[in-house]
């Protein structure tokens, strides 16, 4: 990838910053395209002089995407929303990026979808992610589709959110206690992207499920987080009727659509995964304690529960 120009659509986000690090380390020139480019300026020190570029782009505005991908060797679309206008971003935005990449003669397109992207999904998120995949395949048949499970990392809204809940009090409610998922480390996701770009012909037109080393239930995750942060609350597994009611109320931590997403397991299935891209998945227990330490009662000086 030395001196290749790679455009990261949404590159200043949680996943994008790790992908950028991998690409910059490999010698690629990286153009970060997002609605507010200044929000990604923190990436500048990661590259050499002239190795990073920043442009304004909105996937719902085709003209801005066309300008952002001009001259690119590869394009990576990281944009997606968990609430808001699903159709405009997850489906329409994916189409706009794929069509712009094709028109610009881009050699490789990597599109981030999600596990659970199915046309008959109970959630609008899952349905629009599936529609986005279909649109990408139609416009750019050789695109590489990546379907990650829940992604964890230092800045995530996954382990941090739940670890904070575990430390809030003596009783912690748990929704959908038996639903299963395979959380994947953000560094492994970035390495998978770099591997696909390093040999695009081998991966062209394929779909990969990016799932981690551990298969956990929601209840199992909460118990593990409690042990990792030195807390010992009582966990109360809420019945679905109460969970649905909570999701229907305004201002709660979970939306109705996210509740619908939790009705199905979020696991890899039969698709090829990280191993097919030469990446060994990192267990949650290997990486997460490095940032979960702040959720101990006295920080890194606090004792873990026996």
């Amino acid at each position: 990838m030395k001196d290749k120009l790679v455009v990261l659509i949404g590159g200043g986000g949680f996943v994008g910053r790790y992908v950028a690090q991998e690409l910059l380390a490999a010698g690629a020139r990286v153009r970060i395209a997002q609605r507010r480019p200044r929000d990604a300026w923190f990436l500048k020190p990661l590259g050499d002089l002239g190795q990073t570029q920043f442009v304004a782009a909105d996937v719902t505005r085709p003209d801005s995407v066309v300008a952002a991908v001009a001259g690119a060797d590869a394009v990576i679309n990281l944009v997606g929303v968990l609430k808001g206008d699903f159709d405009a971003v997850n489906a329409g935005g994916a189409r706009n990026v794929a069509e712009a990449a094709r028109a610009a003669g881009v050699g490789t397109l990597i599109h981030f979808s999600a596990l659970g992207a199915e046309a008959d999904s109970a959630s609008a998120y899952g349905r629009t992610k599936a529609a986005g995949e279909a649109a990408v395949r139609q416009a750019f048949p050789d695109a590489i589709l990546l379907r990650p499970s829940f992604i964890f990392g230092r800045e995530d809204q996954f382990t941090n959110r739940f670890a904070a809940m575990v430390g809030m009090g003596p009783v912690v409610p748990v929704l959908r206690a038996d639903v299963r998922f395979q959380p994947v480390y953000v560094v492994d996701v970035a390495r998978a992207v770099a591997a696909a770009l390093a040999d695009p012909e081998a991966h062209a037109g394929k779909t990969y499920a990016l799932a981690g080393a551990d298969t956990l239930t929601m209840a199992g995750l909460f118990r593990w987080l409690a042990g990792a942060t030195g807390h010992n609350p009582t966990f109360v597994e809420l019945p679905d009727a109460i969970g649905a009611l909570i999701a229907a109320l305004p201002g709660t931590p979970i939306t109705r659509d996210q509740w619908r997403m939790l009705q199905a397991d979020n696991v890899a299935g039969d698709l090829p995964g990280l191993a097919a891209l030469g990446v060994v998945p990192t267990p949650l227990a290997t990486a997460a304690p490095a940032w979960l330490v702040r959720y101990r009662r006295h920080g890194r000086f606090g004792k873990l529960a026996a």
Side-chain angles (χ1 to χ4, degrees):
M1 290 185 289
K2 181 69 174 177
D3 295 327
K4 298 291 185 181
L5 176 59
V6 182
V7 176
L8 295 184
I9 310 289
F14 168 47
V15 176
R17 67 188 64 192
Y18 287 90
V19 174
Q21 287 182 63
E22 289 290 328
L23 300 183
L24 291 168
R29 292 178 294 133
V30 176
R31 179 185 295 162
I32 307 296
Q34 59 185 56
R35 287 183 297 171
R36 294 180 295 274
R38 69 173 57 202
D39 291 347
W41 285 355
F42 67 89
L43 294 171
K44 283 184 178 181
L46 299 180
D48 292 331
L49 184 65
Q51 198 180 3
T52 55
Q53 306 172 16
F54 301 86
V55 298
D58 183 336
V59 296
T60 66
R61 295 181 52 196
D63 56 335
S64 71
V65 179
V66 169
V69 304
D73 296 291
V75 172
I76 303 169
N77 182 19
L78 294 154
V79 178
V81 293
L82 284 166
K83 57 183 178 180
D85 196 338
F86 294 108
D87 286 316
V89 178
N90 295 346
R95 179 184 300 104
N96 292 338
V97 172
E99 290 179 348
R102 180 194 62 195
V106 171
T108 305
L109 171 63
I110 295 179
H111 174 70
F112 267 72
S113 184
L115 288 183
E118 303 293 344
D120 61 352
S121 173
S123 72
Y125 176 80
R127 293 192 300 273
T128 53
K129 276 295 188 179
E133 287 188 357
V136 169
R137 280 276 179 251
Q138 182 177 17
F140 204 117
D142 285 340
I144 301 167
L145 302 185
L146 302 182
R147 289 181 165 189
S149 181
F150 297 115
I151 301 175
F152 68 90
R154 184 174 296 274
E155 307 89 349
D156 70 28
Q157 293 297 315
F158 177 65
T159 60
N160 286 295
R161 182 179 184 182
F162 292 141
M165 289 176 60
V166 166
M168 286 178 65
V171 178
V172 177
V174 181
L175 298 176
R176 296 292 294 158
D178 294 329
V179 71
R180 299 183 306 141
F181 43 88
Q182 293 176 265
V184 60
Y185 188 30
V186 66
V187 175
D188 294 340
V189 171
R191 288 171 178 167
V193 171
L197 285 181
D199 191 3
E201 292 184 3
H203 306 292
K206 295 181 180 179
T207 300
Y208 295 94
L210 305 187
D214 307 300
T215 300
L216 300 170
T217 63
M218 187 66 75
L221 172 66
F222 271 75
R223 288 193 296 270
W224 184 84
L225 287 170
T229 58
H231 294 281
N232 189 28
T234 297
F235 294 111
V236 177
E237 299 180 5
L238 300 181
D240 282 355
I242 295 179
L245 177 61
I246 292 173
L249 296 174
T252 56
I254 185 171
T255 67
R256 289 184 180 183
D257 203 69
Q258 290 168 347
W259 171 254
R260 296 185 186 107
M261 288 170 57
L262 289 177
Q263 302 311 301
D265 290 336
N266 194 262
V267 294
D270 297 328
L271 286 173
L274 289 172
L277 292 161
V279 178
V280 178
T282 303
L284 186 66
T286 299
W291 62 85
L292 292 178
V293 64
R294 61 179 167 161
Y295 296 103
R296 296 182 193 172
R297 194 175 304 277
H298 300 291
R300 67 181 60 256
F301 300 103
K303 295 181 179 180
L304 296 178

